[in-house]
Amino acid sequence: MYKKKKIIAVIPARSGSKRLVNKNIKKLNGKPLVEWTIKAALSSKLIDKIFVSTDSQRIRDISTGCGLEVSFLRPSKFSKDKSPTWEAVIHALDKFKEMGEKFDYIALLEPTSPLRAKNDIDKAIKKIINNSKAETLVSLGKIYLEHPKISKKINSKKFVDPYIAVKKKIHQSQELDIAYFPYGVIYLSNVRSFYKNKTFYTSKTIPYLIERWQNYEIDDQLDFNVVENIMKKMEKKNG
């Protein structure tokens, strides 16, 4: 709790994954992928409840092994390949409301973004609650290489075109403005806004900026290998 605001962290971790099979339970640097995010949530001093939203008994067992209670599983209708994350969040909020638990803020922590710095979660929570005008918060990483203004597409004639039409030609990266990409380190929303909008993006979304080494999400084996190497180097650096 922070400033009398009750906070729930939801960790979405369904069983299905096509590009990287059993992604959420695959061992990353010695631990199942989902466990890294569970441990990060447990290190928070401000979160009141942590819930792993899953359709998998195996992931449920990993969660309970970390000391969490997974009192219900996510229904299969909310666990399909194309199921939007907001459905899982609303499902969790509704179930807890039925059980007599209500929250002021929802934090979404994605297992596929395990590269969190110490206190990222609590810093983000304080930032949104201390901003009386903010409805939501999204963790953003600065784009260093694949800037949208220099991205390309292949047209119907199989020639290369700019992905975005830009009036001024870009010759050097120094000419580019700063662009950001959202990563799953943390998403936050006040619960009232989330029920209304069913998204973490509104006209009153504020940023939480992360560092360069955190700009990775695990979607396939290459991502997995990169993140694992970064983890090992950061652990060695921090002793």
Side-chain angles (χ1 to χ4, degrees):
M1 189 173 288
Y2 180 65
K3 292 190 173 180
K4 299 183 179 180
K5 302 297 183 182
K6 196 173 180 182
I7 303 152
I8 180 173
V10 173
I11 301 171
R14 67 184 184 90
S15 57
S17 178
K18 290 183 177 179
R19 278 177 280 194
L20 188 58
V21 178
N22 294 324
K23 177 170 57 179
N24 283 312
I25 62 174
K26 186 175 173 65
K27 289 287 184 71
L28 174 72
N29 205 14
K31 298 177 185 176
L33 176 60
V34 67
E35 187 172 328
W36 288 99
T37 294
I38 292 172
K39 296 292 188 184
L42 287 169
S43 71
S44 167
K45 297 178 181 178
L46 305 180
I47 290 173
D48 299 281
K49 191 175 197 70
I50 303 165
F51 180 70
V52 177
S53 174
T54 185
D55 60 331
S56 163
Q57 186 59 49
R58 178 75 182 96
I59 294 174
R60 186 185 209 172
D61 291 343
I62 292 170
S63 304
T64 55
C66 293
L68 299 183
E69 179 185 358
V70 182
S71 46
F72 52 87
L73 291 174
R74 192 198 310 182
S76 59
K77 64 180 179 179
F78 300 141
S79 305
K80 302 182 185 302
D81 287 340
K82 295 184 179 180
S83 296
T85 303
W86 68 261
E87 289 184 342
V89 174
I90 294 294
H91 170 256
L93 290 173
D94 284 346
K95 291 292 287 184
F96 282 115
K97 190 186 295 185
E98 291 173 9
M99 296 160 66
E101 286 192 82
K102 294 183 180 180
F103 302 91
D104 300 293
Y105 282 85
I106 165 75
L108 184 76
L109 306 174
E110 293 188 346
T112 49
S113 293
L115 296 175
R116 294 180 178 87
K118 186 179 180 181
N119 297 325
D120 267 342
I121 294 172
D122 286 355
K123 285 179 181 178
I125 289 171
K126 289 178 180 179
K127 183 172 184 178
I128 190 171
I129 293 178
N130 287 334
N131 188 327
S132 59
K133 296 181 180 180
E135 290 180 338
T136 59
L137 174 149
V138 175
S139 54
L140 300 177
K142 180 181 174 182
I143 295 175
Y144 287 87
L145 298 176
E146 290 113 351
H147 195 285
K149 286 186 178 178
I150 56 174
S151 294
K152 310 298 179 188
K153 63 182 178 181
I154 300 173
N155 63 29
S156 59
K157 296 180 180 179
K158 306 301 179 184
F159 292 121
V160 176
D161 277 341
Y163 192 81
I164 296 174
V166 180
K167 292 181 180 179
K168 181 183 175 182
K169 288 186 177 180
I170 306 295
H171 300 285
Q172 295 177 318
S173 60
Q174 290 88 338
E175 299 175 63
L176 296 167
D177 55 356
I178 299 176
Y180 299 92
F181 187 85
Y183 291 94
V185 170
I186 188 166
Y187 295 88
L188 280 159
S189 176
N190 68 54
V191 170
R192 189 189 316 175
S193 170
F194 199 83
Y195 268 113
K196 178 183 176 182
N197 300 300
K198 297 180 175 61
T199 180
F200 289 96
Y201 296 97
T202 74
S203 60
K204 296 179 180 178
T205 300
I206 59 173
Y208 179 79
L209 301 183
I210 59 175
E211 298 180 49
R212 173 69 179 91
W213 61 271
Q214 297 175 271
N215 291 8
Y216 294 92
E217 289 188 344
I218 295 176
D219 196 43
D220 57 25
Q221 186 62 50
L222 181 59
D223 298 330
F224 193 92
N225 295 343
V226 170
V227 169
E228 188 165 52
N229 280 319
I230 291 172
M231 268 191 172
K232 289 176 179 177
K233 288 185 181 297
M234 294 303 295
E235 284 184 356
K236 188 175 181 180
K237 177 182 176 182
N238 297 328

mmCIF file of all heavy atoms in Angstrom, residues 98-140:
data_model
loop_
_atom_site.group_PDB
_atom_site.id
_atom_site.type_symbol
_atom_site.label_atom_id
_atom_site.label_comp_id
_atom_site.label_asym_id
_atom_site.label_seq_id
_atom_site.Cartn_x
_atom_site.Cartn_y
_atom_site.Cartn_z
ATOM 1 N N GLU A 98 -15.529 -10.466 -6.246
ATOM 2 C CA GLU A 98 -16.502 -11.452 -5.761
ATOM 3 C C GLU A 98 -16.092 -12.017 -4.404
ATOM 4 O O GLU A 98 -16.942 -12.376 -3.583
ATOM 5 C CB GLU A 98 -16.635 -12.598 -6.762
ATOM 6 C CG GLU A 98 -17.304 -12.238 -8.073
ATOM 7 C CD GLU A 98 -17.240 -13.369 -9.079
ATOM 8 O OE1 GLU A 98 -16.816 -14.490 -8.685
ATOM 9 O OE2 GLU A 98 -17.608 -13.156 -10.249
ATOM 10 N N MET A 99 -14.771 -12.079 -4.193
ATOM 11 C CA MET A 99 -14.239 -12.625 -2.932
ATOM 12 C C MET A 99 -14.099 -11.547 -1.856
ATOM 13 O O MET A 99 -13.559 -11.801 -0.780
ATOM 14 C CB MET A 99 -12.888 -13.287 -3.209
ATOM 15 C CG MET A 99 -12.992 -14.501 -4.134
ATOM 16 S SD MET A 99 -11.410 -14.961 -4.936
ATOM 17 C CE MET A 99 -10.441 -15.481 -3.522
ATOM 18 N N GLY A 100 -14.553 -10.336 -2.178
ATOM 19 C CA GLY A 100 -14.550 -9.254 -1.201
ATOM 20 C C GLY A 100 -13.291 -8.418 -1.163
ATOM 21 O O GLY A 100 -13.094 -7.628 -0.224
ATOM 22 N N GLU A 101 -12.432 -8.560 -2.178
ATOM 23 C CA GLU A 101 -11.201 -7.777 -2.221
ATOM 24 C C GLU A 101 -11.256 -6.765 -3.370
ATOM 25 O O GLU A 101 -11.475 -7.138 -4.522
ATOM 26 C CB GLU A 101 -9.984 -8.683 -2.414
ATOM 27 C CG GLU A 101 -9.593 -9.472 -1.189
ATOM 28 C CD GLU A 101 -8.225 -10.120 -1.332
ATOM 29 O OE1 GLU A 101 -7.215 -9.419 -1.112
ATOM 30 O OE2 GLU A 101 -8.175 -11.306 -1.673
ATOM 31 N N LYS A 102 -11.053 -5.517 -3.031
ATOM 32 C CA LYS A 102 -11.031 -4.465 -4.036
ATOM 33 C C LYS A 102 -9.689 -3.735 -3.975
ATOM 34 O O LYS A 102 -9.051 -3.661 -2.920
ATOM 35 C CB LYS A 102 -12.183 -3.473 -3.817
ATOM 36 C CG LYS A 102 -13.567 -4.075 -4.024
ATOM 37 C CD LYS A 102 -14.650 -3.030 -3.853
ATOM 38 C CE LYS A 102 -16.037 -3.628 -4.062
ATOM 39 N NZ LYS A 102 -17.096 -2.603 -3.897
ATOM 40 N N PHE A 103 -9.286 -3.178 -5.123
ATOM 41 C CA PHE A 103 -7.986 -2.523 -5.226
ATOM 42 C C PHE A 103 -8.139 -1.169 -5.913
ATOM 43 O O PHE A 103 -9.074 -0.944 -6.679
ATOM 44 C CB PHE A 103 -7.014 -3.409 -6.012
ATOM 45 C CG PHE A 103 -6.820 -4.766 -5.401
ATOM 46 C CD1 PHE A 103 -7.628 -5.838 -5.779
ATOM 47 C CD2 PHE A 103 -5.859 -4.959 -4.422
ATOM 48 C CE1 PHE A 103 -7.460 -7.081 -5.200
ATOM 49 C CE2 PHE A 103 -5.697 -6.211 -3.837
ATOM 50 C CZ PHE A 103 -6.503 -7.272 -4.220
ATOM 51 N N ASP A 104 -7.184 -0.289 -5.607
ATOM 52 C CA ASP A 104 -7.180 1.036 -6.225
ATOM 53 C C ASP A 104 -6.340 1.078 -7.489
ATOM 54 O O ASP A 104 -6.660 1.812 -8.432
ATOM 55 C CB ASP A 104 -6.638 2.072 -5.223
ATOM 56 C CG ASP A 104 -7.482 2.153 -3.969
ATOM 57 O OD1 ASP A 104 -8.634 2.589 -4.070
ATOM 58 O OD2 ASP A 104 -6.991 1.747 -2.893
ATOM 59 N N TYR A 105 -5.250 0.284 -7.515
ATOM 60 C CA TYR A 105 -4.344 0.263 -8.661
ATOM 61 C C TYR A 105 -4.017 -1.165 -9.068
ATOM 62 O O TYR A 105 -3.907 -2.054 -8.218
ATOM 63 C CB TYR A 105 -3.048 1.018 -8.363
ATOM 64 C CG TYR A 105 -3.201 2.525 -8.437
ATOM 65 C CD1 TYR A 105 -3.663 3.237 -7.342
ATOM 66 C CD2 TYR A 105 -2.898 3.220 -9.611
ATOM 67 C CE1 TYR A 105 -3.821 4.619 -7.414
ATOM 68 C CE2 TYR A 105 -3.059 4.598 -9.688
ATOM 69 C CZ TYR A 105 -3.527 5.286 -8.599
ATOM 70 O OH TYR A 105 -3.694 6.637 -8.667
ATOM 71 N N ILE A 106 -3.860 -1.350 -10.359
ATOM 72 C CA ILE A 106 -3.442 -2.628 -10.919
ATOM 73 C C ILE A 106 -2.073 -2.453 -11.565
ATOM 74 O O ILE A 106 -1.869 -1.516 -12.355
ATOM 75 C CB ILE A 106 -4.464 -3.158 -11.952
ATOM 76 C CG1 ILE A 106 -3.872 -4.283 -12.816
ATOM 77 C CG2 ILE A 106 -4.957 -2.059 -12.865
ATOM 78 C CD1 ILE A 106 -3.752 -5.577 -12.135
ATOM 79 N N ALA A 107 -1.137 -3.329 -11.211
ATOM 80 C CA ALA A 107 0.184 -3.352 -11.853
ATOM 81 C C ALA A 107 0.269 -4.629 -12.680
ATOM 82 O O ALA A 107 0.028 -5.722 -12.160
ATOM 83 C CB ALA A 107 1.295 -3.333 -10.810
ATOM 84 N N LEU A 108 0.571 -4.497 -13.952
ATOM 85 C CA LEU A 108 0.770 -5.651 -14.817
ATOM 86 C C LEU A 108 2.270 -5.856 -15.005
ATOM 87 O O LEU A 108 2.979 -4.950 -15.457
ATOM 88 C CB LEU A 108 0.102 -5.437 -16.174
ATOM 89 C CG LEU A 108 0.179 -6.638 -17.122
ATOM 90 C CD1 LEU A 108 -0.812 -7.711 -16.695
ATOM 91 C CD2 LEU A 108 -0.088 -6.212 -18.563
ATOM 92 N N LEU A 109 2.748 -7.046 -14.647
ATOM 93 C CA LEU A 109 4.169 -7.381 -14.747
ATOM 94 C C LEU A 109 4.311 -8.561 -15.697
ATOM 95 O O LEU A 109 3.876 -9.678 -15.380
ATOM 96 C CB LEU A 109 4.732 -7.735 -13.367
ATOM 97 C CG LEU A 109 4.531 -6.696 -12.255
ATOM 98 C CD1 LEU A 109 5.009 -7.257 -10.920
ATOM 99 C CD2 LEU A 109 5.246 -5.404 -12.578
ATOM 100 N N GLU A 110 4.914 -8.346 -16.847
ATOM 101 C CA GLU A 110 5.007 -9.398 -17.853
ATOM 102 C C GLU A 110 6.242 -10.275 -17.627
ATOM 103 O O GLU A 110 7.364 -9.756 -17.550
ATOM 104 C CB GLU A 110 5.028 -8.791 -19.252
ATOM 105 C CG GLU A 110 3.715 -8.107 -19.629
ATOM 106 C CD GLU A 110 3.676 -7.670 -21.070
ATOM 107 O OE1 GLU A 110 4.742 -7.649 -21.716
ATOM 108 O OE2 GLU A 110 2.573 -7.355 -21.553
ATOM 109 N N PRO A 111 6.068 -11.586 -17.559
ATOM 110 C CA PRO A 111 7.209 -12.485 -17.377
ATOM 111 C C PRO A 111 8.233 -12.390 -18.501
ATOM 112 O O PRO A 111 9.413 -12.673 -18.293
ATOM 113 C CB PRO A 111 6.564 -13.882 -17.347
ATOM 114 C CG PRO A 111 5.142 -13.645 -16.988
ATOM 115 C CD PRO A 111 4.788 -12.317 -17.581
ATOM 116 N N THR A 112 7.787 -11.999 -19.683
ATOM 117 C CA THR A 112 8.683 -11.916 -20.845
ATOM 118 C C THR A 112 9.600 -10.697 -20.796
ATOM 119 O O THR A 112 10.444 -10.526 -21.671
ATOM 120 C CB THR A 112 7.869 -11.889 -22.148
ATOM 121 O OG1 THR A 112 6.825 -10.918 -22.034
ATOM 122 C CG2 THR A 112 7.260 -13.253 -22.412
ATOM 123 N N SER A 113 9.444 -9.859 -19.786
ATOM 124 C CA SER A 113 10.355 -8.723 -19.565
ATOM 125 C C SER A 113 10.972 -8.846 -18.175
ATOM 126 O O SER A 113 10.638 -8.092 -17.258
ATOM 127 C CB SER A 113 9.605 -7.393 -19.691
ATOM 128 O OG SER A 113 9.173 -7.174 -21.002
ATOM 129 N N PRO A 114 11.874 -9.811 -17.982
ATOM 130 C CA PRO A 114 12.411 -10.078 -16.653
ATOM 131 C C PRO A 114 13.557 -9.159 -16.226
ATOM 132 O O PRO A 114 14.041 -9.258 -15.096
ATOM 133 C CB PRO A 114 12.900 -11.523 -16.763
ATOM 134 C CG PRO A 114 13.349 -11.641 -18.188
ATOM 135 C CD PRO A 114 12.391 -10.784 -18.983
ATOM 136 N N LEU A 115 14.015 -8.290 -17.133
ATOM 137 C CA LEU A 115 15.169 -7.443 -16.810
ATOM 138 C C LEU A 115 14.707 -6.184 -16.068
ATOM 139 O O LEU A 115 14.566 -5.104 -16.640
ATOM 140 C CB LEU A 115 15.926 -7.072 -18.093
ATOM 141 C CG LEU A 115 16.553 -8.252 -18.837
ATOM 142 C CD1 LEU A 115 17.175 -7.781 -20.146
ATOM 143 C CD2 LEU A 115 17.603 -8.949 -17.968
ATOM 144 N N ARG A 116 14.487 -6.344 -14.782
ATOM 145 C CA ARG A 116 14.049 -5.215 -13.956
ATOM 146 C C ARG A 116 15.185 -4.764 -13.040
ATOM 147 O O ARG A 116 15.859 -5.588 -12.426
ATOM 148 C CB ARG A 116 12.831 -5.606 -13.123
ATOM 149 C CG ARG A 116 11.604 -5.885 -13.965
ATOM 150 C CD ARG A 116 10.394 -6.270 -13.119
ATOM 151 N NE ARG A 116 9.236 -6.482 -13.988
ATOM 152 C CZ ARG A 116 8.949 -7.641 -14.568
ATOM 153 N NH1 ARG A 116 9.725 -8.697 -14.347
ATOM 154 N NH2 ARG A 116 7.902 -7.747 -15.352
ATOM 155 N N ALA A 117 15.339 -3.467 -12.933
ATOM 156 C CA ALA A 117 16.314 -2.916 -12.000
ATOM 157 C C ALA A 117 15.718 -2.925 -10.596
ATOM 158 O O ALA A 117 14.490 -2.976 -10.432
ATOM 159 C CB ALA A 117 16.702 -1.500 -12.413
ATOM 160 N N LYS A 118 16.571 -2.863 -9.609
ATOM 161 C CA LYS A 118 16.103 -2.838 -8.233
ATOM 162 C C LYS A 118 15.196 -1.629 -8.014
ATOM 163 O O LYS A 118 15.520 -0.516 -8.428
ATOM 164 C CB LYS A 118 17.303 -2.768 -7.272
ATOM 165 C CG LYS A 118 16.919 -2.878 -5.810
ATOM 166 C CD LYS A 118 18.148 -2.832 -4.910
ATOM 167 C CE LYS A 118 17.760 -2.936 -3.449
ATOM 168 N NZ LYS A 118 18.961 -2.864 -2.558
ATOM 169 N N ASN A 119 14.058 -1.874 -7.402
ATOM 170 C CA ASN A 119 13.084 -0.825 -7.062
ATOM 171 C C ASN A 119 12.323 -0.252 -8.255
ATOM 172 O O ASN A 119 11.602 0.730 -8.099
ATOM 173 C CB ASN A 119 13.748 0.326 -6.287
ATOM 174 C CG ASN A 119 14.306 -0.133 -4.953
ATOM 175 O OD1 ASN A 119 13.733 -1.009 -4.304
ATOM 176 N ND2 ASN A 119 15.427 0.438 -4.537
ATOM 177 N N ASP A 120 12.456 -0.833 -9.447
ATOM 178 C CA ASP A 120 11.669 -0.346 -10.585
ATOM 179 C C ASP A 120 10.181 -0.313 -10.258
ATOM 180 O O ASP A 120 9.486 0.669 -10.555
ATOM 181 C CB ASP A 120 11.878 -1.250 -11.812
ATOM 182 C CG ASP A 120 12.990 -0.766 -12.734
ATOM 183 O OD1 ASP A 120 13.372 0.418 -12.637
ATOM 184 O OD2 ASP A 120 13.469 -1.569 -13.547
ATOM 185 N N ILE A 121 9.699 -1.394 -9.671
ATOM 186 C CA ILE A 121 8.263 -1.510 -9.412
ATOM 187 C C ILE A 121 7.793 -0.431 -8.453
ATOM 188 O O ILE A 121 6.818 0.284 -8.720
ATOM 189 C CB ILE A 121 7.928 -2.920 -8.874
ATOM 190 C CG1 ILE A 121 8.209 -3.969 -9.964
ATOM 191 C CG2 ILE A 121 6.471 -2.990 -8.420
ATOM 192 C CD1 ILE A 121 8.105 -5.403 -9.477
ATOM 193 N N ASP A 122 8.484 -0.270 -7.338
ATOM 194 C CA ASP A 122 8.051 0.710 -6.340
ATOM 195 C C ASP A 122 8.238 2.145 -6.818
ATOM 196 O O ASP A 122 7.428 3.025 -6.502
ATOM 197 C CB ASP A 122 8.789 0.483 -5.021
ATOM 198 C CG ASP A 122 8.272 -0.749 -4.271
ATOM 199 O OD1 ASP A 122 7.288 -1.357 -4.749
ATOM 200 O OD2 ASP A 122 8.852 -1.105 -3.231
ATOM 201 N N LYS A 123 9.275 2.394 -7.593
ATOM 202 C CA LYS A 123 9.459 3.735 -8.157
ATOM 203 C C LYS A 123 8.313 4.097 -9.091
ATOM 204 O O LYS A 123 7.817 5.227 -9.081
ATOM 205 C CB LYS A 123 10.791 3.813 -8.914
ATOM 206 C CG LYS A 123 12.022 3.881 -8.036
ATOM 207 C CD LYS A 123 13.278 3.926 -8.892
ATOM 208 C CE LYS A 123 14.540 3.964 -8.057
ATOM 209 N NZ LYS A 123 15.769 3.953 -8.913
ATOM 210 N N ALA A 124 7.898 3.124 -9.899
ATOM 211 C CA ALA A 124 6.799 3.371 -10.836
ATOM 212 C C ALA A 124 5.488 3.593 -10.090
ATOM 213 O O ALA A 124 4.697 4.478 -10.456
ATOM 214 C CB ALA A 124 6.675 2.203 -11.805
ATOM 215 N N ILE A 125 5.251 2.803 -9.045
ATOM 216 C CA ILE A 125 4.029 2.965 -8.250
ATOM 217 C C ILE A 125 3.973 4.350 -7.620
ATOM 218 O O ILE A 125 2.948 5.039 -7.663
ATOM 219 C CB ILE A 125 3.946 1.873 -7.164
ATOM 220 C CG1 ILE A 125 3.658 0.510 -7.811
ATOM 221 C CG2 ILE A 125 2.869 2.212 -6.130
ATOM 222 C CD1 ILE A 125 3.777 -0.666 -6.859
ATOM 223 N N LYS A 126 5.078 4.783 -7.050
ATOM 224 C CA LYS A 126 5.115 6.112 -6.438
ATOM 225 C C LYS A 126 4.890 7.202 -7.474
ATOM 226 O O LYS A 126 4.206 8.200 -7.213
ATOM 227 C CB LYS A 126 6.454 6.326 -5.735
ATOM 228 C CG LYS A 126 6.617 5.511 -4.466
ATOM 229 C CD LYS A 126 7.987 5.735 -3.829
ATOM 230 C CE LYS A 126 8.140 4.921 -2.562
ATOM 231 N NZ LYS A 126 9.473 5.114 -1.935
ATOM 232 N N LYS A 127 5.458 7.004 -8.664
ATOM 233 C CA LYS A 127 5.335 8.022 -9.707
ATOM 234 C C LYS A 127 3.884 8.231 -10.110
ATOM 235 O O LYS A 127 3.427 9.377 -10.233
ATOM 236 C CB LYS A 127 6.174 7.636 -10.934
ATOM 237 C CG LYS A 127 6.127 8.696 -12.027
ATOM 238 C CD LYS A 127 7.116 8.406 -13.153
ATOM 239 C CE LYS A 127 7.092 9.566 -14.162
ATOM 240 N NZ LYS A 127 8.053 9.376 -15.266
ATOM 241 N N ILE A 128 3.141 7.150 -10.323
ATOM 242 C CA ILE A 128 1.758 7.333 -10.771
ATOM 243 C C ILE A 128 0.852 7.844 -9.649
ATOM 244 O O ILE A 128 0.001 8.709 -9.874
ATOM 245 C CB ILE A 128 1.183 6.029 -11.391
ATOM 246 C CG1 ILE A 128 -0.158 6.337 -12.071
ATOM 247 C CG2 ILE A 128 1.055 4.921 -10.379
ATOM 248 C CD1 ILE A 128 -0.712 5.192 -12.883
ATOM 249 N N ILE A 129 1.050 7.349 -8.441
ATOM 250 C CA ILE A 129 0.179 7.781 -7.349
ATOM 251 C C ILE A 129 0.470 9.224 -6.948
ATOM 252 O O ILE A 129 -0.441 9.964 -6.545
ATOM 253 C CB ILE A 129 0.302 6.816 -6.150
ATOM 254 C CG1 ILE A 129 -0.263 5.438 -6.537
ATOM 255 C CG2 ILE A 129 -0.425 7.356 -4.922
ATOM 256 C CD1 ILE A 129 -0.148 4.381 -5.467
ATOM 257 N N ASN A 130 1.706 9.645 -7.099
ATOM 258 C CA ASN A 130 2.057 11.040 -6.775
ATOM 259 C C ASN A 130 1.630 12.026 -7.855
ATOM 260 O O ASN A 130 1.721 13.246 -7.661
ATOM 261 C CB ASN A 130 3.568 11.166 -6.547
ATOM 262 C CG ASN A 130 4.001 10.554 -5.231
ATOM 263 O OD1 ASN A 130 3.212 10.474 -4.282
ATOM 264 N ND2 ASN A 130 5.241 10.113 -5.149
ATOM 265 N N ASN A 131 1.190 11.525 -8.997
ATOM 266 C CA ASN A 131 0.724 12.384 -10.085
ATOM 267 C C ASN A 131 -0.802 12.330 -10.113
ATOM 268 O O ASN A 131 -1.394 11.376 -10.614
ATOM 269 C CB ASN A 131 1.303 11.909 -11.418
ATOM 270 C CG ASN A 131 1.016 12.868 -12.556
ATOM 271 O OD1 ASN A 131 -0.027 13.518 -12.591
ATOM 272 N ND2 ASN A 131 1.932 12.956 -13.510
ATOM 273 N N SER A 132 -1.430 13.342 -9.591
ATOM 274 C CA SER A 132 -2.885 13.336 -9.433
ATOM 275 C C SER A 132 -3.629 13.344 -10.767
ATOM 276 O O SER A 132 -4.807 12.993 -10.827
ATOM 277 C CB SER A 132 -3.330 14.548 -8.606
ATOM 278 O OG SER A 132 -2.935 15.765 -9.243
ATOM 279 N N LYS A 133 -2.951 13.727 -11.850
ATOM 280 C CA LYS A 133 -3.606 13.794 -13.157
ATOM 281 C C LYS A 133 -3.454 12.507 -13.970
ATOM 282 O O LYS A 133 -4.138 12.311 -14.974
ATOM 283 C CB LYS A 133 -3.047 14.965 -13.956
ATOM 284 C CG LYS A 133 -3.341 16.328 -13.340
ATOM 285 C CD LYS A 133 -2.775 17.448 -14.196
ATOM 286 C CE LYS A 133 -3.081 18.813 -13.579
ATOM 287 N NZ LYS A 133 -2.530 19.927 -14.395
ATOM 288 N N ALA A 134 -2.542 11.631 -13.550
ATOM 289 C CA ALA A 134 -2.247 10.427 -14.331
ATOM 290 C C ALA A 134 -3.269 9.326 -14.067
ATOM 291 O O ALA A 134 -3.696 9.102 -12.935
ATOM 292 C CB ALA A 134 -0.852 9.921 -14.000
ATOM 293 N N GLU A 135 -3.656 8.640 -15.149
ATOM 294 C CA GLU A 135 -4.527 7.465 -15.044
ATOM 295 C C GLU A 135 -3.726 6.174 -15.147
ATOM 296 O O GLU A 135 -4.014 5.199 -14.460
ATOM 297 C CB GLU A 135 -5.571 7.475 -16.166
ATOM 298 C CG GLU A 135 -6.625 8.550 -16.039
ATOM 299 C CD GLU A 135 -7.627 8.494 -17.171
ATOM 300 O OE1 GLU A 135 -7.310 7.931 -18.242
ATOM 301 O OE2 GLU A 135 -8.735 9.021 -16.980
ATOM 302 N N THR A 136 -2.730 6.200 -16.039
ATOM 303 C CA THR A 136 -1.950 4.991 -16.296
ATOM 304 C C THR A 136 -0.470 5.333 -16.443
ATOM 305 O O THR A 136 -0.101 6.499 -16.635
ATOM 306 C CB THR A 136 -2.424 4.294 -17.585
ATOM 307 O OG1 THR A 136 -2.285 5.190 -18.688
ATOM 308 C CG2 THR A 136 -3.881 3.868 -17.485
ATOM 309 N N LEU A 137 0.351 4.291 -16.377
ATOM 310 C CA LEU A 137 1.805 4.428 -16.544
ATOM 311 C C LEU A 137 2.292 3.245 -17.380
ATOM 312 O O LEU A 137 1.830 2.120 -17.204
ATOM 313 C CB LEU A 137 2.484 4.453 -15.181
ATOM 314 C CG LEU A 137 4.017 4.442 -15.127
ATOM 315 C CD1 LEU A 137 4.521 5.207 -13.897
ATOM 316 C CD2 LEU A 137 4.574 3.009 -15.100
ATOM 317 N N VAL A 138 3.252 3.533 -18.266
ATOM 318 C CA VAL A 138 3.823 2.497 -19.129
ATOM 319 C C VAL A 138 5.340 2.611 -19.091
ATOM 320 O O VAL A 138 5.888 3.719 -19.176
ATOM 321 C CB VAL A 138 3.330 2.664 -20.587
ATOM 322 C CG1 VAL A 138 4.012 1.667 -21.505
ATOM 323 C CG2 VAL A 138 1.823 2.499 -20.652
ATOM 324 N N SER A 139 6.031 1.472 -18.945
ATOM 325 C CA SER A 139 7.493 1.492 -18.977
ATOM 326 C C SER A 139 7.974 1.586 -20.425
ATOM 327 O O SER A 139 7.556 0.808 -21.284
ATOM 328 C CB SER A 139 8.069 0.243 -18.301
ATOM 329 O OG SER A 139 7.529 -0.944 -18.853
ATOM 330 N N LEU A 140 8.840 2.554 -20.686
ATOM 331 C CA LEU A 140 9.324 2.818 -22.032
ATOM 332 C C LEU A 140 10.847 2.757 -22.086
ATOM 333 O O LEU A 140 11.530 3.216 -21.169
ATOM 334 C CB LEU A 140 8.886 4.215 -22.506
ATOM 335 C CG LEU A 140 7.401 4.531 -22.591
ATOM 336 C CD1 LEU A 140 7.206 5.980 -23.017
ATOM 337 C CD2 LEU A 140 6.694 3.590 -23.548
#
